[in-house]
Amino acid sequence: FAGSNSSEGVIRNLILDDIIISSDVNVGAFVQTNMGVIENSEVKGGSIICIGLADVCAGSIAGVNGDGENGGIIRNCLNYAIISSKGKYTGGMIGKVGVKGIVHDCINYGNVKSEGSYVGGVIGYSYVIVSNLTNYGNIVTTDKNGHAGGILGNNDEMFVGDNCNNYGSVTIG
């Protein structure tokens, strides 16, 4: 939908269906990088394929939410798309969330498969407080030393999770 969403930007009530996105850089159906607000939005189906390596981030909503000193808010969003990635950070909804990002009230139904190190049903790698997150998709990392989780692939010491539930399988290696 857009390369980035600035700190003043708002994406609201947007529905994308039958998407097919292939990228070798940070990728999300709504934005590569979110610094603003994405809310009440949905990816109804399709696939996102990230062929980029190294520190590339992939998710259905955004590749990256918040970056450094800039926050980003993602709330009340749904994903049904399948995510496949070679990048380091892969999530059903967001690849990586920065220290000032906020994510809450989101549900992922899409399966997530990655060759990367950090793979999560909702977020691949997080530095933030998250709440009311649910995952129904199956999560796989083929990296035998990788980190995978139903909600988060990995989190920093600042993580606080409240009312988060996983119903999908998680496979590492």
Side-chain angles (χ1 to χ4, degrees):
F1 182 74
S4 65
N5 188 27
S6 72
S7 59
E8 292 84 30
V10 176
I11 297 173
R12 181 180 293 131
N13 302 323
L14 180 62
I15 296 174
L16 300 176
D17 196 4
D18 293 328
I19 62 165
I20 298 174
I21 300 172
S22 181
S23 177
D24 62 356
V25 296
N26 292 344
V27 63
F30 292 102
V31 295
Q32 287 178 318
T33 303
N34 178 52
M35 306 295 191
V37 176
I38 300 174
E39 64 183 359
N40 304 326
S41 295
E42 177 178 354
V43 179
K44 289 185 83 160
S47 62
I48 294 176
I49 301 163
C50 181
I51 57 174
L53 301 173
D55 291 343
V56 176
C57 304
S60 65
I61 305 299
V64 177
N65 184 52
D67 189 13
E69 292 301 311
N70 298 306
I73 299 170
I74 295 178
R75 62 180 167 233
N76 299 319
C77 291
L78 296 170
N79 173 56
Y80 292 90
I82 295 167
I83 312 296
S84 176
S85 175
K86 292 184 177 191
K88 187 173 184 177
Y89 307 102
T90 306
M93 302 191 87
I94 307 149
K96 187 175 182 181
V97 179
V99 293
K100 293 202 175 184
I102 297 171
V103 181
H104 61 88
D105 299 310
C106 293
I107 302 172
N108 176 56
Y109 291 95
N111 292 332
V112 179
K113 184 175 182 180
S114 178
E115 296 176 19
S117 302
Y118 304 104
V119 184
V122 179
I123 302 168
Y125 194 97
S126 177
Y127 289 94
V128 300
I129 297 170
V130 297
S131 62
N132 300 324
L133 302 179
T134 303
N135 175 59
Y136 290 96
N138 296 319
I139 311 307
V140 175
T141 178
T142 58
D143 180 347
K144 66 181 179 179
N145 297 314
H147 306 271
I151 301 298
L152 304 173
N154 197 42
N155 62 74
D156 193 271
E157 62 195 56
M158 297 173 67
F159 168 74
V160 176
D162 189 28
N163 196 31
C164 295
N165 298 289
N166 175 58
Y167 300 102
S169 66
V170 177
T171 305
I172 300 173

